[in-house]
């Protein structure tokens, strides 16, 4: 039965790799020098519904220390609950170029349809897309545009930390900080560099046109991943900028969190099946329990200890999230939840996304709206 300790050893190796990736990330991702005359930016914000702390998030974009930019909000529903907050923002910042646009383009990915209409009305050479609930620091635009200044960089993205007012959301945020972001760091370390995160997507309008515009990714559920893939096919790089942005998770019930994470895992499986099934070795808590029950308690204890160390390191040192240290004792329990999500995500093709029930194909395309 000692062979049952082998997965725990593999998990230990993975989480040691997380530690290496985290230490290298801090040394290889210093803030870049700011461009003296940064190019104007069009911020494209598709909205659907009103997320928690939505006004604080969009207000942080109006407070940017940046010479010239515009914010374009887009919704396919003129009565969307978020519209009142956007009008309030326009009234608070009358000197900012902020517009609310009712969109009409329809694509299988409704968000990308909205983006296509916003891009058609954008006035500036740089386009920034980020999720509607993202809150950013005042120097955000300066930092990310400085990162895009390199000619071989085609897309700039950022890490993010998650917050929530509710315990189900805090549970999910713990997983973001100590499970998902570590996987991002390891992917970059081993050379998987074609993906980006929806927390920040900054690119040149000219490069977007070269890939065929937003229509090139409008059939896919994982639009951020597909955009990164299409940009790298141009021979350009996806680069992470130094700012850490913040998202406010909307899950109020355990069912909300389960459905959200199930959509997330099935989307990853459809986009990168090999990587998804490779995640089996990352579930250190599960394999530690297996090893301990098999009598190989040193292997199990080592796997669990390294996993906790790596998760806290990423959460506190990279994301600078103090909640991770306070809730570190919950990580093993959150891991078992994550393993259950991973098992369920390995099967099925339906997901729920902002009230929509979608079926996704094996290549990640949306092929029906249930």
């Amino acid at each position: 039965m000692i062979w049952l300790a082998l997965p725990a050893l593999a998990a230990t190796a993975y989480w040691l790799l997380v530690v290496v990736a985290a230490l290298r990330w801090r040394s290889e991702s210093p803030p870049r020098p700011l461009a003296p005359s940064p190019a104007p930016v069009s911020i494209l914000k598709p909205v659907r519904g009103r997320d928690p702390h939505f006004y604080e998030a969009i207000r942080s974009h109006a407070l940017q220390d940046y010479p010239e930019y515009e914010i374009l909000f887009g919704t396919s529903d003129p009565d969307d609950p978020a519209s009142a907050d956007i009008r309030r923002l326009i009234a608070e910042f009358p000197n900012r170029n902020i517009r609310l646009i009712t969109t009409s383009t329809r694509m299988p990915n409704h968000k990308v349809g909205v983006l296509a209409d916003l891009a058609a009305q954008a006035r500036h050479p740089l386009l920034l897309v980020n999720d509607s609930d993202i809150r950013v620091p005042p120097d955000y635009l300066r930092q990310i545009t400085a990162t895009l200044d390199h000619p071989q960089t085609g897309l700039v993205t950022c890490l993010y930390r998650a917050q929530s007012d509710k315990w189900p959301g805090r549970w999910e945020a713990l997983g973001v900080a100590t499970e998902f972001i570590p996987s991002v760091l390891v992917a970059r370390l081993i050379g998987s560099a074609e993906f980006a995160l929806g927390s920040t997507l900054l690119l040149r309008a000219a490069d977007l046109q070269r890939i065929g515009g937003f229509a090139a990714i409008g059939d896919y559920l994982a639009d951020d991943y597909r955009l990164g893939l299409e940009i790298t096919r141009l021979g350009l790089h996806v680069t992470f900028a130094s700012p850490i942005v913040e998202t406010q998770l909307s899950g109020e019930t355990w069912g909300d969190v389960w459905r959200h994470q199930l959509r997330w895992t099935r989307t990853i499986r459809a986009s990168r099946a090999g990587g998804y099934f490779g995640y089996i070795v990352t579930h250190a808590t599960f394999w530690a329990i297996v090893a301990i029950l098999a009598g190989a308690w040193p292997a199990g204890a080592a796997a669990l200890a390294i996993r906790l160390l790596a998760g806290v390191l990423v959460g506190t040192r990279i994301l600078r999230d103090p909640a991770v240290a306070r809730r570190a004792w919950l990580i093993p329990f959150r891991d078992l939840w994550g393993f259950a999500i991973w098992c369920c995500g390995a099967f099925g093709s339906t997901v729920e996304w902002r009230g929509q029930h979608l079926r996704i194909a094996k290549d990640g395309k949306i092929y029906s709206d249930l």
Side-chain angles (χ1 to χ4, degrees):
M1 296 291 286
I2 297 301
W3 63 271
L4 290 174
L6 294 177
L9 296 175
T12 301
Y14 169 79
W15 287 100
L16 284 172
L17 201 59
V18 169
V19 173
V20 172
L23 295 175
R24 289 193 60 181
W25 188 274
R26 289 187 62 81
S27 62
E28 294 183 355
S29 301
R32 295 173 180 266
L34 304 181
S37 300
V41 178
S42 294
I43 303 175
L44 313 183
K45 300 281 287 185
V47 296
R48 182 169 181 167
R50 188 180 185 279
D51 297 305
H53 301 277
F54 174 70
Y55 191 74
E56 292 91 331
I58 61 175
R59 190 174 187 273
S60 71
H61 292 71
L63 292 171
Q64 288 300 294
D65 175 21
Y66 199 79
E68 186 176 1
Y69 67 99
E70 63 179 354
I71 310 175
L72 306 183
F73 293 94
T75 175
S76 58
D77 178 8
D79 297 320
D80 191 285
S83 299
D85 283 319
I86 297 168
R87 294 189 183 98
R88 175 186 168 192
L89 187 74
I90 293 171
E92 183 179 353
F93 295 91
N95 296 325
R96 289 287 188 211
N97 188 351
I98 306 172
R99 288 182 280 162
L100 173 59
I101 298 168
T102 301
T103 62
S104 58
T105 296
R106 297 291 183 266
M107 294 183 184
N109 185 320
H110 292 186
K111 169 187 165 184
V112 179
V114 173
L115 285 173
D117 283 357
L118 294 181
Q121 298 203 37
R123 299 169 179 169
H124 297 319
L126 302 186
L127 304 178
L128 168 63
V129 179
N130 59 21
D131 293 334
S132 61
D133 59 354
I134 293 295
R135 186 171 181 172
V136 298
D139 63 346
Y140 170 68
L141 283 183
R142 285 190 176 272
Q143 292 286 356
I144 64 175
T145 54
T147 304
L148 188 62
D149 200 43
H150 192 287
Q152 287 304 113
T153 296
L155 184 63
V156 175
T157 191
C158 290
L159 297 179
Y160 65 92
R161 59 179 169 262
Q163 304 292 330
S164 179
D165 297 330
K166 306 285 186 178
W167 263 108
R170 292 169 186 164
W171 181 261
E172 184 174 10
L174 185 64
V176 170
T178 67
E179 180 182 5
F180 175 66
I181 296 299
S183 73
V184 171
L185 302 187
V186 170
R188 296 290 295 186
L189 179 68
I190 65 177
S192 178
E194 76 281 3
F195 66 91
L197 306 180
S199 56
T200 295
L201 300 166
L202 176 73
L203 74 165
R204 302 175 189 90
D207 291 334
L208 179 65
Q209 291 304 312
R210 288 172 64 194
I211 68 170
F214 282 114
I217 63 173
D219 291 338
Y220 294 90
L221 183 59
D223 49 271
D224 47 4
Y225 170 76
R226 293 300 307 188
L227 184 60
L229 185 61
E230 294 295 335
I231 289 295
T232 56
R233 286 174 175 172
L234 297 178
L236 300 172
H237 303 310
V238 177
T239 302
F240 278 76
S242 57
I244 305 295
V245 300
E246 187 169 292
T247 184
Q248 190 76 24
L249 299 177
S250 59
E252 295 191 355
T253 69
W254 296 103
D256 290 340
V257 171
W258 178 272
R259 287 186 292 272
H260 180 235
Q261 294 193 334
L262 188 60
R263 173 180 67 80
W264 200 357
T265 54
R266 285 178 176 166
T267 301
I268 293 172
R269 192 197 77 208
S271 300
R272 303 177 65 193
Y276 180 84
F277 288 105
Y279 285 155
I280 185 67
V281 302
T282 71
H283 293 283
T285 297
F286 175 79
W287 295 119
I289 292 172
V290 170
I292 290 170
L293 292 177
W297 65 265
L304 190 56
I306 294 299
R307 187 272 175 273
L308 290 172
L309 170 66
V312 172
L313 176 67
V314 172
T316 58
R317 299 287 301 277
I318 304 297
L319 300 182
R320 299 188 291 277
D321 185 351
V324 171
R326 295 197 306 268
R327 298 167 188 157
W329 65 277
L330 289 171
I331 290 176
F333 304 100
R334 170 56 188 73
D335 281 354
L336 295 177
W337 166 287
F339 182 69
I341 290 280
W342 182 88
C343 292
C344 292
F347 306 96
S349 60
T350 59
V351 298
E352 184 177 330
W353 186 28
R354 289 190 178 265
Q356 294 176 266
H357 294 271
L358 306 173
R359 191 181 301 275
I360 52 176
K362 291 182 178 180
D363 60 357
K365 287 184 176 180
I366 301 168
Y367 67 88
S368 71
D369 187 341
L370 301 178

